[in-house]
Amino acid sequence: MSILLGDKEYFPGIGQIAYEGPDSDNPLAFRFYDETKIIAGKTMKDYFKFGMAYWHTLVGNGGDPFGEATHLYEWNQAQDAVQRAKDKADAAFEFATKMNLPYFCFHDVDVVDYDNNVAEFERRLRAWTEYARQKMDASGVKLLWGTANLFSNRRYMNGGSTNPDFAVLAHGGAQVKGALDATIALGGENYVFWGGREGYMSLLNTNMKREVEHLARFLHTAKDYARKNGFKGTFFIEPKPCEPTKHQYDYDSATVIGFLRQYDLLNDFKLNIEVNHATLAGHTFQHELQVAADAGMLGSIDANRGDYQNGWDTDQFPTNVAELTEAMLVILEAGGLQGGGVNFDAKRRRNSTDNADLFYAHIGGMDTFARALIAADAILTKSDYKKLREERYASFDSGKGKEFEEGKLTLEDLRDLAAASGEPAVRSGKQEYFENIINRYA
Ligand code: XUL
Ligand code: CO
């Protein structure tokens, strides 16, 4: 058997997923994601850079706070930790290859089991890295980003880099070093920091200023190490307002951009925006994308969706074409993602227990993105969407409005203009008209 499949086939009965077009009745085929189709000057493959999330796809077991695992994996059974990591890698690259996913993303603890021994963890990670390198070379699957998990182990219950105990922060440093070493060795294009426990549960026992300064110092320390060791990619911060921590310091795009500016990290860091994190912050996904894009910081996205009826991070696969079309409008107008791609930080449901469900989930997500990209491109190139939006601001294109934008008018000037021109005419915002444009193409 080829190196793609290792010694064992983990997803038997499922072959290569391919593009068959919108009329196909095959549930294990793409109807819209045609990796060779060119939209906005790029192939869909290059436009999206779709990624498999190692944690959901190979590790997530369907367990929830009320119930045990429902997804029982064959690749978790070897006694030896390195062998377990290799078996899991076999399954990972078999899945990514069959699914036609050009990239993957990982946390350190997804790829190897981590107990409390730093040196043993590093040994396992090095063994996995060497094995993954061979798999990547054989399959062509590349690393979109790596990261370290500073939130699951009990030592991080009070935070990772924002922990009040320096010994815990140092341990977090060891994990980030290991994850960076692996990312660099695998030619990872980016590196992510998601601060799941970088925040507080109660302000009563928290020195917020000191914790935020530690977070910044930690990011500088990690960045300096990576640059010194040849990492040329981009670092991403992934904003999320809460869960598991009550208040997370990386609350949303605007908060993170302010933080990066304050602590002199703007040159090395951009944002990785996740759909469900945006909605938890009380924003739409497209709002978060626009804030990042306007600051030149739109790096990457974690694709998923929440549930309209509850308020936590359900990490479901994206299925809503109209919603995603609005997001793709922002991404297209921003000129695409800067260095990143579309990582499926999404999991099948607890009761989706067939191997095929994992494939249906990713097929659905990729097809939804493909449809949204086609629709958004049509809106931008065929409809009057852009023209109508520009016209709303036409009064700033010339005359006094232009002078205002250029900083040439005083407050007294504004007063005199208002007094001279009288009550402004009523001008419609045409929201329903704009919404109809989305539905016409989505
Ligand atoms: C958690 C989350 C993480 C990050 C990586 O909500 O999104 O999986 O993407 O640590
Ligand atoms: Co995420």
Side-chain angles (χ1 to χ4, degrees), residues 55-56 145 194 238 272 274 277 302-304 313 315 343 345:
W55 54 102
H56 286 310
W145 49 262
W194 171 61
E238 185 178 320
N272 180 35
E274 178 163 329
H277 296 182
D302 268 13
N304 57 27
D313 195 9
D315 283 345
N343 167 49
D345 194 352

Side-chain angles (χ1 to χ4, degrees), residues 102-123:
Y103 284 89
F104 75 103
C105 302
F106 74 95
H107 298 84
D108 52 349
V109 305
D110 307 332
V111 295
V112 295
D113 294 337
Y114 185 22
D115 45 33
N116 295 324
N117 182 332
V118 172
E120 170 61 12
F121 161 67
E122 290 169 340
R123 184 187 74 84

Side-chain angles (χ1 to χ4, degrees), residues 269-315:
F269 283 76
K270 295 199 183 327
L271 271 60
N272 180 35
I273 313 280
E274 178 163 329
V275 185
N276 209 168
H277 296 182
T279 47
L280 287 180
H283 303 306
T284 59
F285 179 41
Q286 48 273 32
H287 168 91
E288 286 293 86
L289 294 170
Q290 191 72 63
V291 171
D294 290 346
M297 304 279 286
L298 180 54
S300 204
I301 64 177
D302 268 13
N304 57 27
R305 73 183 155 102
D307 178 289
Y308 294 117
Q309 280 76 45
N310 68 24
W312 67 89
D313 195 9
T314 57
D315 283 345

Side-chain angles (χ1 to χ4, degrees), residues 216-279:
R217 172 68 54 213
F218 188 85
L219 294 175
H220 270 287
T221 308
K223 181 250 309 167
D224 291 345
Y225 172 80
R227 294 292 184 227
K228 190 174 71 190
N229 285 280
F231 180 64
K232 300 256 184 324
T234 306
F235 297 94
F236 296 138
I237 301 273
E238 185 178 320
K240 186 176 181 183
C242 53
E243 196 207 18
T245 307
K246 175 180 162 57
H247 180 97
Q248 276 167 222
Y249 297 135
D250 300 333
Y251 194 96
D252 61 2
S253 293
T255 309
V256 171
I257 292 166
F259 165 84
L260 293 173
R261 181 168 291 125
Q262 183 175 354
Y263 292 101
D264 194 23
L265 290 159
L266 280 181
N267 288 338
D268 295 274
F269 283 76
K270 295 199 183 327
L271 271 60
N272 180 35
I273 313 280
E274 178 163 329
V275 185
N276 209 168
H277 296 182
T279 47

Side-chain angles (χ1 to χ4, degrees), residues 6-61:
D7 297 329
K8 183 173 165 51
E9 190 174 9
Y10 287 99
F11 304 97
I14 298 175
Q16 184 67 50
I17 309 298
Y19 173 70
E20 293 185 7
D23 296 331
S24 172
D25 287 326
N26 179 2
L28 286 167
F30 297 116
R31 291 196 181 75
F32 300 93
Y33 177 65
D34 173 1
E35 63 171 14
T36 61
K37 189 179 170 84
I38 293 179
I39 303 272
K42 274 189 188 172
T43 62
M44 280 194 175
K45 181 177 179 181
D46 291 339
Y47 202 89
F48 290 123
K49 293 168 74 175
F50 281 124
M52 171 191 75
Y54 224 94
W55 54 102
H56 286 310
T57 299
L58 286 309
V59 184
N61 62 18

